[in-house]
Amino acid sequence: MTIAEQPDEPTRAPRIALIGRMNVGKSSLFNRLTETQHAIVSSWPGTTRDVREGTVLWRGKEWTLVDSGGMDADTTTDMNKRVIETARNLVASCDLALFVIDGKTGLMPQDHKLITELRTTDKQLFLVVNKMDNDRDVAAVDDEIY
């Protein structure tokens, strides 16, 4: 069989991780993009502790979106340590990561710590500013985010 006769290998859909601290809207964003209600959404911090995967169809392209638990800079509890370790492993297994922040609260000290850690990986990292519901919210965004 020549190279021209070999069947094309199926391409794997890119895996994209949603990473960020607690209550920045990662699960809401996941549900919106996957057009499902598979991720639990709550105003109670720390609701999401496990990883959820879903398929996104965006402009004719399919990709896998992975929701993670909120990463808390407080690593004194076993639960927080496990969530952070799971998120680290998730980033390592994905093609790129979307670092989600709450645009209304701006960058918090925990965000800086997590960004510093994520920058040590070889993965592409994109900043997503969430909770910007109208032009007034966008105009009020802290310049530090940009």
Side-chain angles (χ1 to χ4, degrees):
M1 180 182 293
T2 68
I3 292 176
E5 295 171 337
Q6 291 180 358
D8 291 336
E9 290 187 27
T11 57
R12 179 182 64 81
R15 291 185 78 221
I16 300 173
L18 291 172
I19 303 295
R21 62 183 162 82
M22 294 180 193
N23 279 47
V24 295
K26 295 179 305 298
S27 295
S28 293
L29 186 58
F30 175 88
N31 285 343
R32 182 70 163 248
L33 291 173
T34 60
E35 299 179 355
T36 67
Q37 293 299 314
H38 292 151
I40 298 170
V41 176
S42 168
S43 60
W44 191 265
T47 300
T48 302
R49 292 296 187 184
D50 55 352
V51 172
R52 296 265 186 227
E53 290 193 21
T55 300
V56 175
L57 182 61
W58 185 270
R59 297 185 176 184
K61 303 285 185 190
E62 187 175 289
W63 38 282
T64 301
L65 186 63
V66 187
D67 185 26
S68 67
M71 297 170 67
D72 190 341
D74 171 20
T75 58
T76 58
T77 69
D78 287 340
M79 178 64 81
N80 285 346
K81 288 177 186 176
R82 285 193 301 272
V83 169
I84 290 172
E85 186 61 30
T86 299
R88 284 183 188 135
N89 293 336
L90 173 61
V91 170
S93 72
C94 286
D95 297 298
L96 63 93
L98 301 177
F99 186 77
V100 183
I101 66 167
D102 180 338
K104 292 184 179 177
T105 62
L107 285 168
M108 303 296 284
Q110 303 97 312
D111 294 319
H112 289 286
K113 183 176 180 179
L114 296 171
I115 288 170
T116 300
E117 183 172 329
L118 290 170
R119 284 183 175 159
T120 64
T121 72
D122 62 347
K123 303 297 178 172
Q124 287 186 307
L125 179 64
F126 293 90
L127 178 66
V128 174
V129 182
N130 205 11
K131 299 187 180 184
M132 300 282 87
D133 300 323
N134 56 50
D135 290 340
R136 184 180 59 234
D137 290 340
V138 173
V141 170
D142 187 344
D143 288 339
E144 178 186 20
I145 292 173
Y146 297 109

